[in-house]
Amino acid sequence: GQIRVSFEELWPQVKPGGVYFMEDLQVGRSGAYNHGGIVISDLVQAWVQQMVQKNIADVWPLPAGASSIFCQREACLLTKA
């Protein structure tokens, strides 16, 4: 969906030490926004799992330079090393 496309375009522009904020992560499960692709909250969950458990392989690799992910209801913040 749109959140992932925006992230893929904008994350490379985030400078080291910068942050990227994703919101409305819950909409990926609603019929109007679910286009059969990956649900963004599942993608972020896979990234968090990779940060918690080093050296695990995943089909959705951690974004280059990501150093932390902080989540709350419907939103997450990623920091870049």
Side-chain angles (χ1 to χ4, degrees), residues 25-81:
L25 299 179
Q26 79 287 358
V27 300
R29 297 220 185 273
S30 94
Y33 295 95
N34 187 345
H35 304 293
I38 181 172
V39 175
I40 192 68
S41 58
D42 292 342
L43 179 62
V44 173
Q45 184 176 0
W47 294 343
V48 168
Q49 188 64 34
Q50 291 171 66
M51 289 207 156
V52 171
Q53 245 182 304
K54 295 281 187 191
N55 301 321
I56 65 168
D58 200 289
V59 294
W60 303 311
L62 197 58
S67 59
S68 65
I69 301 173
F70 300 95
C71 293
Q72 64 179 32
R73 183 179 293 262
E74 303 174 1
C76 290
L77 175 84
L78 285 83
T79 62
K80 193 176 236 185

